[in-house]
PDB file of all heavy atoms in Angstrom:
ATOM      1  N   ARG A 643     -26.550  18.475  96.610  1.00  0.00           N
ATOM      2  CA  ARG A 643     -25.889  19.346  95.652  1.00  0.00           C
ATOM      3  C   ARG A 643     -24.872  20.273  96.304  1.00  0.00           C
ATOM      4  O   ARG A 643     -25.197  20.997  97.240  1.00  0.00           O
ATOM      5  CB  ARG A 643     -26.932  20.178  94.904  1.00  0.00           C
ATOM      6  CG  ARG A 643     -27.718  19.333  93.901  1.00  0.00           C
ATOM      7  CD  ARG A 643     -29.107  19.856  93.708  1.00  0.00           C
ATOM      8  NE  ARG A 643     -29.945  19.540  94.878  1.00  0.00           N
ATOM      9  CZ  ARG A 643     -31.233  19.846  94.960  1.00  0.00           C
ATOM     10  NH1 ARG A 643     -31.827  20.461  93.990  1.00  0.00           N
ATOM     11  NH2 ARG A 643     -31.923  19.533  96.034  1.00  0.00           N
ATOM     12  N   LEU A 644     -23.667  20.246  95.788  1.00  0.00           N
ATOM     13  CA  LEU A 644     -22.621  21.163  96.216  1.00  0.00           C
ATOM     14  C   LEU A 644     -22.689  22.393  95.312  1.00  0.00           C
ATOM     15  O   LEU A 644     -22.471  22.293  94.108  1.00  0.00           O
ATOM     16  CB  LEU A 644     -21.244  20.502  96.118  1.00  0.00           C
ATOM     17  CG  LEU A 644     -21.015  19.299  97.039  1.00  0.00           C
ATOM     18  CD1 LEU A 644     -19.657  18.672  96.752  1.00  0.00           C
ATOM     19  CD2 LEU A 644     -21.099  19.720  98.490  1.00  0.00           C
ATOM     20  N   GLN A 645     -22.974  23.549  95.877  1.00  0.00           N
ATOM     21  CA  GLN A 645     -23.280  24.719  95.066  1.00  0.00           C
ATOM     22  C   GLN A 645     -22.098  25.234  94.241  1.00  0.00           C
ATOM     23  O   GLN A 645     -22.288  25.951  93.271  1.00  0.00           O
ATOM     24  CB  GLN A 645     -23.811  25.836  95.970  1.00  0.00           C
ATOM     25  CG  GLN A 645     -25.170  25.496  96.579  1.00  0.00           C
ATOM     26  CD  GLN A 645     -25.692  26.614  97.456  1.00  0.00           C
ATOM     27  OE1 GLN A 645     -24.940  27.418  97.981  1.00  0.00           O
ATOM     28  NE2 GLN A 645     -27.005  26.658  97.611  1.00  0.00           N
ATOM     29  N   HIS A 646     -20.868  24.877  94.631  1.00  0.00           N
ATOM     30  CA  HIS A 646     -19.718  25.421  93.904  1.00  0.00           C
ATOM     31  C   HIS A 646     -19.401  24.649  92.627  1.00  0.00           C
ATOM     32  O   HIS A 646     -18.543  25.054  91.849  1.00  0.00           O
ATOM     33  CB  HIS A 646     -18.473  25.442  94.812  1.00  0.00           C
ATOM     34  CG  HIS A 646     -17.993  24.085  95.208  1.00  0.00           C
ATOM     35  ND1 HIS A 646     -18.402  23.445  96.351  1.00  0.00           N
ATOM     36  CD2 HIS A 646     -17.130  23.233  94.601  1.00  0.00           C
ATOM     37  CE1 HIS A 646     -17.817  22.278  96.448  1.00  0.00           C
ATOM     38  NE2 HIS A 646     -17.042  22.114  95.399  1.00  0.00           N
ATOM     39  N   LEU A 647     -20.090  23.530  92.396  1.00  0.00           N
ATOM     40  CA  LEU A 647     -19.781  22.743  91.204  1.00  0.00           C
ATOM     41  C   LEU A 647     -20.319  23.432  89.954  1.00  0.00           C
ATOM     42  O   LEU A 647     -21.423  23.959  89.938  1.00  0.00           O
ATOM     43  CB  LEU A 647     -20.406  21.348  91.310  1.00  0.00           C
ATOM     44  CG  LEU A 647     -19.787  20.416  92.343  1.00  0.00           C
ATOM     45  CD1 LEU A 647     -20.488  19.085  92.326  1.00  0.00           C
ATOM     46  CD2 LEU A 647     -18.302  20.216  92.080  1.00  0.00           C
ATOM     47  N   GLU A 648     -19.503  23.398  88.881  1.00  0.00           N
ATOM     48  CA  GLU A 648     -19.957  24.039  87.655  1.00  0.00           C
ATOM     49  C   GLU A 648     -20.961  23.153  86.925  1.00  0.00           C
ATOM     50  O   GLU A 648     -20.999  21.939  87.089  1.00  0.00           O
ATOM     51  CB  GLU A 648     -18.752  24.407  86.781  1.00  0.00           C
ATOM     52  CG  GLU A 648     -17.767  23.261  86.530  1.00  0.00           C
ATOM     53  CD  GLU A 648     -18.074  22.509  85.263  1.00  0.00           C
ATOM     54  OE1 GLU A 648     -18.915  22.982  84.480  1.00  0.00           O
ATOM     55  OE2 GLU A 648     -17.496  21.430  85.061  1.00  0.00           O
ATOM     56  N   ALA A 649     -21.778  23.787  86.093  1.00  0.00           N
ATOM     57  CA  ALA A 649     -22.945  23.127  85.498  1.00  0.00           C
ATOM     58  C   ALA A 649     -22.563  21.940  84.618  1.00  0.00           C
ATOM     59  O   ALA A 649     -23.240  20.912  84.624  1.00  0.00           O
ATOM     60  CB  ALA A 649     -23.760  24.138  84.704  1.00  0.00           C
ATOM     61  N   ARG A 650     -21.473  22.051  83.846  1.00  0.00           N
ATOM     62  CA  ARG A 650     -21.109  20.961  82.946  1.00  0.00           C
ATOM     63  C   ARG A 650     -20.767  19.702  83.732  1.00  0.00           C
ATOM     64  O   ARG A 650     -21.167  18.592  83.355  1.00  0.00           O
ATOM     65  CB  ARG A 650     -19.925  21.365  82.065  1.00  0.00           C
ATOM     66  CG  ARG A 650     -19.542  20.280  81.057  1.00  0.00           C
ATOM     67  CD  ARG A 650     -18.485  20.753  80.090  1.00  0.00           C
ATOM     68  NE  ARG A 650     -17.246  21.110  80.777  1.00  0.00           N
ATOM     69  CZ  ARG A 650     -16.131  21.480  80.145  1.00  0.00           C
ATOM     70  NH1 ARG A 650     -16.112  21.574  78.834  1.00  0.00           N
ATOM     71  NH2 ARG A 650     -15.043  21.777  80.839  1.00  0.00           N
ATOM     72  N   ASN A 651     -20.031  19.873  84.823  1.00  0.00           N
ATOM     73  CA  ASN A 651     -19.690  18.714  85.645  1.00  0.00           C
ATOM     74  C   ASN A 651     -20.935  18.076  86.232  1.00  0.00           C
ATOM     75  O   ASN A 651     -21.060  16.845  86.279  1.00  0.00           O
ATOM     76  CB  ASN A 651     -18.745  19.140  86.765  1.00  0.00           C
ATOM     77  CG  ASN A 651     -18.198  17.953  87.531  1.00  0.00           C
ATOM     78  OD1 ASN A 651     -17.446  17.151  86.993  1.00  0.00           O
ATOM     79  ND2 ASN A 651     -18.581  17.830  88.786  1.00  0.00           N
ATOM     80  N   MET A 652     -21.900  18.907  86.674  1.00  0.00           N
ATOM     81  CA  MET A 652     -23.143  18.377  87.241  1.00  0.00           C
ATOM     82  C   MET A 652     -23.931  17.601  86.195  1.00  0.00           C
ATOM     83  O   MET A 652     -24.529  16.571  86.495  1.00  0.00           O
ATOM     84  CB  MET A 652     -23.983  19.517  87.817  1.00  0.00           C
ATOM     85  CG  MET A 652     -23.382  20.155  89.058  1.00  0.00           C
ATOM     86  SD  MET A 652     -24.362  21.522  89.715  1.00  0.00           S
ATOM     87  CE  MET A 652     -25.801  20.630  90.314  1.00  0.00           C
ATOM     88  N   ARG A 653     -23.917  18.083  84.961  1.00  0.00           N
ATOM     89  CA  ARG A 653     -24.630  17.365  83.887  1.00  0.00           C
ATOM     90  C   ARG A 653     -23.968  16.020  83.612  1.00  0.00           C
ATOM     91  O   ARG A 653     -24.650  15.018  83.354  1.00  0.00           O
ATOM     92  CB  ARG A 653     -24.657  18.212  82.614  1.00  0.00           C
ATOM     93  CG  ARG A 653     -25.599  19.413  82.678  1.00  0.00           C
ATOM     94  CD  ARG A 653     -25.876  19.976  81.292  1.00  0.00           C
ATOM     95  NE  ARG A 653     -24.664  20.476  80.649  1.00  0.00           N
ATOM     96  CZ  ARG A 653     -24.214  21.722  80.766  1.00  0.00           C
ATOM     97  NH1 ARG A 653     -24.878  22.594  81.509  1.00  0.00           N
ATOM     98  NH2 ARG A 653     -23.113  22.096  80.144  1.00  0.00           N
ATOM     99  N   ARG A 654     -22.637  15.984  83.654  1.00  0.00           N
ATOM    100  CA  ARG A 654     -21.935  14.717  83.431  1.00  0.00           C
ATOM    101  C   ARG A 654     -22.231  13.718  84.547  1.00  0.00           C
ATOM    102  O   ARG A 654     -22.431  12.529  84.284  1.00  0.00           O
ATOM    103  CB  ARG A 654     -20.425  14.973  83.345  1.00  0.00           C
ATOM    104  CG  ARG A 654     -19.978  15.608  82.048  1.00  0.00           C
ATOM    105  CD  ARG A 654     -18.518  16.017  82.107  1.00  0.00           C
ATOM    106  NE  ARG A 654     -18.027  16.463  80.802  1.00  0.00           N
ATOM    107  CZ  ARG A 654     -16.861  17.084  80.620  1.00  0.00           C
ATOM    108  NH1 ARG A 654     -16.073  17.310  81.671  1.00  0.00           N
ATOM    109  NH2 ARG A 654     -16.491  17.454  79.414  1.00  0.00           N
ATOM    110  N   VAL A 655     -22.246  14.202  85.785  1.00  0.00           N
ATOM    111  CA  VAL A 655     -22.586  13.332  86.905  1.00  0.00           C
ATOM    112  C   VAL A 655     -24.007  12.809  86.745  1.00  0.00           C
ATOM    113  O   VAL A 655     -24.281  11.617  86.948  1.00  0.00           O
ATOM    114  CB  VAL A 655     -22.439  14.078  88.245  1.00  0.00           C
ATOM    115  CG1 VAL A 655     -22.983  13.230  89.393  1.00  0.00           C
ATOM    116  CG2 VAL A 655     -20.977  14.416  88.514  1.00  0.00           C
ATOM    117  N   ALA A 656     -24.934  13.706  86.364  1.00  0.00           N
ATOM    118  CA  ALA A 656     -26.335  13.309  86.195  1.00  0.00           C
ATOM    119  C   ALA A 656     -26.473  12.240  85.112  1.00  0.00           C
ATOM    120  O   ALA A 656     -27.214  11.262  85.276  1.00  0.00           O
ATOM    121  CB  ALA A 656     -27.188  14.527  85.856  1.00  0.00           C
ATOM    122  N   ALA A 657     -25.752  12.420  84.002  1.00  0.00           N
ATOM    123  CA  ALA A 657     -25.833  11.443  82.911  1.00  0.00           C
ATOM    124  C   ALA A 657     -25.280  10.093  83.342  1.00  0.00           C
ATOM    125  O   ALA A 657     -25.865   9.034  83.044  1.00  0.00           O
ATOM    126  CB  ALA A 657     -25.073  11.966  81.691  1.00  0.00           C
ATOM    127  N   ALA A 658     -24.156  10.100  84.051  1.00  0.00           N
ATOM    128  CA  ALA A 658     -23.559   8.844  84.515  1.00  0.00           C
ATOM    129  C   ALA A 658     -24.466   8.152  85.522  1.00  0.00           C
ATOM    130  O   ALA A 658     -24.644   6.923  85.488  1.00  0.00           O
ATOM    131  CB  ALA A 658     -22.188   9.112  85.128  1.00  0.00           C
TER     132      ALA A 658
END
Side-chain angles (χ1 to χ4, degrees):
R643 287 150 286 182
L644 296 175
Q645 293 181 336
H646 65 268
L647 290 181
E648 51 93 10
R650 183 173 62 176
N651 188 66
M652 291 179 69
R653 288 196 297 271
R654 285 172 172 168
V655 172

